[in-house]
Amino acid sequence: MKIQKLLSFSALILLTLSFGCSKESGQHTFSLADSTFMLDDKPFQIISGEIHYPRVPREAWRDRMKMAKAMGLNTIGTYVFWNLHEPEKGKFDFSGNNDIAEFVKIAKQEGLWVILRPSPYVCAEWEFGGYPYWLQNEKGLQVRSREKQYLAEYKKYIQEIGKQLAPLQINHGGNILMVQVENEYGSYGADKVYLEMNRKMFVDAGFDGLLYTCDPEKDIVKGHLKGLMPAINGQDNPVKVKQAIKGLNEGKGPFFIAEWYPAWFDWWGTAHHKVPAAQYTGKLDTVLAAGISINMYMFHGGSTRGFMNGANFRDTIPFEPQISSYDYDAPLDEAGNATDKFMKFREVIAKHLPKGEALPAVPEAKPSTALKEIVFDKQIDVFEYRGKGRSNSDPLTFEDMNQAYGYMIYKTNVNGGKKAELKIDGLRDYGIVFIDGERKGTLDRRLGEEKLLLDIPAGVHTLEIFVENMGRINFGPNLLKNKKGIIGEVSFAGHVLKSWTMYSLPFDRVETLKLKGSKLSGNVPTLKSGSFDVVNPTDTYLDFRKWGKGVVWVNGHNLGKYWSIGPQQTIYLPAEWQKKGRNEVVVLELNKPENNILTSLSQPILDDLQEKK
């Protein structure tokens, strides 16, 4: 084989096995040849799977990596999420589940290489595509552009990421093989000057190893920067993969499918995406036989907890907020257990092992059980729970209130004596309307709802609108149209309403001391608390089929949202976030506050759709 080395790096890292890295020290090099990657001057085929550290409890990172090895992966890929690491401007967080450096180090200990994807924009069905909400408060700032404020904030972020992760590159003694610059930029723009600015910022932050770009086939020319390794997403025909990459890389490889999709993600109100392994095993076999490297998106999806789900929205499709489960019908299920797809893929990968190599045994599935029913004994409605409000002539957005996620109550007075329409110009994204504390109806952005017919008696009455942020758009041209709450005017009978008071309900934490009595205040969003006892913590799935819409916390961990429309009907509660003895549960229920009992199951329900589009 004629080898032309484009990049060559050496470092003291783990001794490399044919399918990964071991725990022994050794000297290594990583470079590019005409058609393959070269590890220690020998051809190396990357067989990678994507795992996102915030979607898996930190306590389970190592177990997931052992499963990756058992399926035959030698590498894992992960995005880095700006909005987790800089939730508020200038305040960085790399602790707990945000400890990305520890995630990479554990991969090294488990004999896995890492592909790092730290660009500020990640997509990933993640809130705002990974951007922190506060960027929208910088007047004139434009993401994914040469705009000066954006580049300034971007630079601060990538410098902090570099401090954490640049020392872990293979050329500095670590296990990070490659680092991705931007993310599917060709699907958004074609500014090569902007891409070059990205590259330079990465290098200045210490990412001086192998850099690459990735894009879908139709956008790969627009998204590639000359001098970086091109990679392709979503194409698994070996001929087409090689044609696309050779066209950008002087007729050479290596050939890398940066995102190979074994299934897809879900959003509320649409059927669960599930595809049999048989539809992929032949493709995987063909790709590996052709010597093409691959990163499976996702190998293990996990759960999108907190308020971190994103949403799709384009002119041709409605607003589509994604569900909390990121099961993705991936080889490893939401709880980290091997699926039929895992076993079938493992069989394919085993065929391509070097002679004499064998895969480790597959760890047994983790136990899961149903808990005893949970009875809630304390509650408070959100109108009692809320604190001091902020007044303004017009409605203020979440961003105006320096509120990242969660909910907000908008309050004003309205003159009655008529039956007319209440119109909200720009509801983001789900609203419940109250007159004098009495629930009158809901408005749902997904369904294009912005008007509600109200029959209000004569006199002055209190209007309150409870608004939920259901996730900022994470893909497409509307990234710059992502403010939340009520972003325009509210009118009744054609008269614009003024003199508003806004009450923030971010629920970044729940003040449980406020939950005291058990008396129900009416059909009002209500916080409820209860507990359950555990002798030996095991995985379980909280069953919300009889509930309405809301979010659940266990022992302070926000496990994500539920919604009766489906397809997801259960919330995964990992054993790692339970404790022996008493465990605290808090639920915010929007639509069925009368519910007072929560049950659980030993298996998830991800495909029970109660609403048809």
Side-chain angles (χ1 to χ4, degrees), residues 3-4 51 102 129 135 155 169 189 228 245 276 302 335 337 341 347 362 377 387 431 499 509 516 520 574:
I3 298 176
Q4 178 181 353
I51 308 175
E102 182 63 17
L135 288 180
K155 183 176 181 179
Q169 295 171 103
L228 302 187
I245 291 175
N337 296 314
K341 192 172 286 183
E347 291 173 7
V362 179
D377 54 8
S499 300
R509 62 185 180 88
K516 295 179 180 179
L520 187 63

Side-chain angles (χ1 to χ4, degrees), residues 35-36 51 71 85 95 98 103 108 135 165 195 231-233 257 263 269 325 347 372 388 406 522 539 566 572 581:
S35 61
T36 187
I51 308 175
M71 199 179 82
H85 296 299
S95 63
N98 291 346
F103 180 79
K108 182 178 180 180
L135 288 180
L165 297 172
L195 282 175
I232 195 167
N233 290 356
I257 303 172
S325 170
E347 291 173 7
K372 292 182 179 179
K388 186 178 179 181
D539 285 353
Y572 170 52

